[in-house]
Amino acid sequence: MTPKSKKITRRDFITRSTLATAGLATIGPMAVSGPKLRKNSIGANDRINVAVVGIRGRGQSHIQNFAEMENVQVKTLCDVDEKVFPDRVKMTEEVQGSRPGTEVDIRRVLEDPDIDVVAFATPNHWHALGTIWACQAGKHVYCEKPSSHNIWEGRKMVDAARKYNRIVQIGYQNRSRRNTNAAMKFLHDGGIGDIYMARGLCFKPRGDIGNPPNQPVPEGLHYDLWLGPAQKRPFNPNYVHYNWHWHWAFGNGDTGNQGPHQFDIARWGLNKEEAPIKITSKGGYFVYDSSQETPNTQISVFEYADGTILEFETRGLLTNGEFGDPGRTIGDFFYGSKGVMQIDAGGNWKTWMGRDYEPGPSSEETSEEELDSMNLIGTGGGSHFANFIAAVRSGNHEDLTCDVEVGHRSTILPHLGNISYRVGRELMFDGLSERFVDDEEANELLTRNYREPFVVPARV
């Protein structure tokens, strides 16, 4: 394979002195004096150097998509588990023709002045701090969904992106899918009339993770770095490398794992930029007896100020499908005064109109000309990475299909549902202050107790 162009444009690297807050001067990116950041935009002919942080599962897609782009190079792979480096280094070199470096500590990555972009495919509890540190270090960020582990730190991500004028894309890939955009246009143009309810589905049967005892830290795993903002606890194999999703210290259950994609589509289709005012969520962990803390069965209902309803259901056990196909268990429904729309996980959509449910417009009938008119880059998940790189080059966060503010608004929803579930009651939420009304127990779950020195600062 022929290596891509070796041309490198050297850029200034000056970070902010504000990292001294809460001890971050010694633990975060290298701090030097002066408020000046390097320029926001990067020329069309400049090579963009990317560091991918978290390279086991979803991180492979980050590597593949960035390494395939012209004038983009995956310069560094970062992971706290050294065992994954050989395979991912080989994979990267095969795709782009040049060998990446490796680091186990994100702080060393952020000290590299040649890194322009940091892409995070880490566990949820690292999303916010990693993004904030990267913005402070003058890097642009692509961060997987959900944007944050909790609501408070999600707002700090938005603050950091704006303060340091960084491009931050959240990995809600449907925002860059042409079919999904066509569906949203049809809804917003009144295709099924006045929409009174959206319903999101996350039906993913999961297995029993068991309850293994605590064990010595495996060789090659930098467990303290893996814990990061989470409180110190003994190593358990159920925390890594996937089952962290089911423990509140690190993940947000399937409602906050697969669910964010469908929450985002539901909110988008309802055209709601504000938060709901009333939330209730019920459920539990059934059938298995394991260390899992998050529910495997959960129903959440969100009510907006105008009475519009967003309902979301998570099923982690055996269940029927609701798309006329037992295998189709991820997606969204929209209900309007004229008809019903169904959107599956890939963005394909159908409608049924009137009381007789006659088949209506669908993605199969959408013309290429109409799709082209949306000015989206490519199709599928890869276009989301391409959109991000295009915005990095333009220096305009409004060019993003899922800017950090958009991602935060959608991420709030699964967090609200989970908080209602955890406190066991209906909650009232003030979207302007992003706090619950007269409920301090619920408000305590808006954030977490951070572990020094991995602290999300109150002032970014």
Side-chain angles (χ1 to χ4, degrees), residues 356-368:
D356 294 329
Y357 297 99
E358 294 291 334
S362 69
S363 54
E364 293 180 356
E365 300 173 4
T366 307
S367 68
E368 287 298 320

Side-chain angles (χ1 to χ4, degrees), residues 1 52 55 63-64 67 73-77 85-101:
M1 180 174 292
V52 179
I55 59 175
I63 294 169
Q64 187 79 30
Q73 174 183 251
V74 177
K75 183 176 185 290
T76 305
L77 303 179
F85 284 141
D87 285 347
R88 297 300 181 267
V89 167
K90 179 180 178 182
M91 169 191 170
T92 308
E93 189 171 15
E94 288 175 349
V95 175
Q96 69 183 17
S98 59
R99 187 176 181 86

